[in-house]
Amino acid sequence: MHPNCEKLIQRVAEFLSEVENLTPGRDLEERLNRQYGPGNSFYDEFARLIRTGLDSDEGWVATDEVQGPRYRRTRISPPTETTRFCSITTVYMDPCAVTGGERDEVLRGQYHLHPYGEINYVIPLTDGAQLKGMSGWQGAGWTSPGPGTHHYPEARGGPVVALFFLPAGRISYDARPDAPQPISI
């Protein structure tokens, strides 16, 4: 494992120890954006390590192609005691890679369900890049879909990296877009 990947996992473990008893969902998303957004030491260190990993091609940031080079992901840690039993995955999405730079293009990923919810750290790699969460489009900051929610991951405005944490590593690709959302998103 690359030393920067190890550093990221350690910092994520420290971050998760601060939020481990909070449930993913709208309230957590608002709290994370208020308390852990850009300028927070966790947010800034995650961004530095991810950018370095990408720029130096260290081989751990979103290396496995899902829909070609514009949509990639890599699980960098399974759920462990250290990570408060959350898995850690990096996802890279670049909607402009296919369109020749059209910034209004949306890249849609694989539809999935979050059995126990999800926490997503969002780092835009260019100005205006965003990831869509359950509460709408998010630039630099966080999204946190609640337990039972399901959606297409979507990016627009340029390349974005999402670092996502799944409680117990749970994710389901058996969800259907026409299924109702849970009462609490």
Side-chain angles (χ1 to χ4, degrees), residues 17-114:
S17 73
E18 291 191 17
V19 299
E20 71 179 317
N21 293 319
L22 303 174
T23 302
R26 189 180 311 262
D27 289 344
L28 180 58
E29 181 174 307
E30 290 172 3
R31 181 175 181 170
L32 292 174
N33 280 305
R34 193 173 52 252
Q35 295 178 352
Y36 294 93
N40 174 275
S41 63
F42 287 118
Y43 186 93
D44 293 347
E45 182 71 358
F46 296 167
R48 185 189 69 75
L49 290 166
I50 287 170
R51 286 182 185 276
T52 299
L54 277 174
D55 293 345
S56 302
D57 197 19
E58 294 174 348
W60 61 273
V61 179
T63 58
D64 306 323
E65 292 185 3
V66 179
Q67 293 176 3
R70 69 188 189 130
Y71 180 29
R72 310 183 308 257
R73 69 175 167 242
T74 299
R75 187 180 221 186
I76 61 172
S77 177
T80 66
E81 187 173 352
T82 299
T83 64
R84 301 305 196 258
F85 300 101
C86 286
S87 62
I88 305 170
T89 302
T90 57
V91 175
Y92 172 89
M93 297 178 81
D94 185 359
C96 301
V98 172
T99 63
E102 293 287 328
R103 293 174 92 38
D104 59 348
E105 181 73 21
V106 172
L107 174 61
R108 181 176 267 191
Q110 293 176 298
Y111 202 85
H112 64 276
L113 178 134
H114 319 105

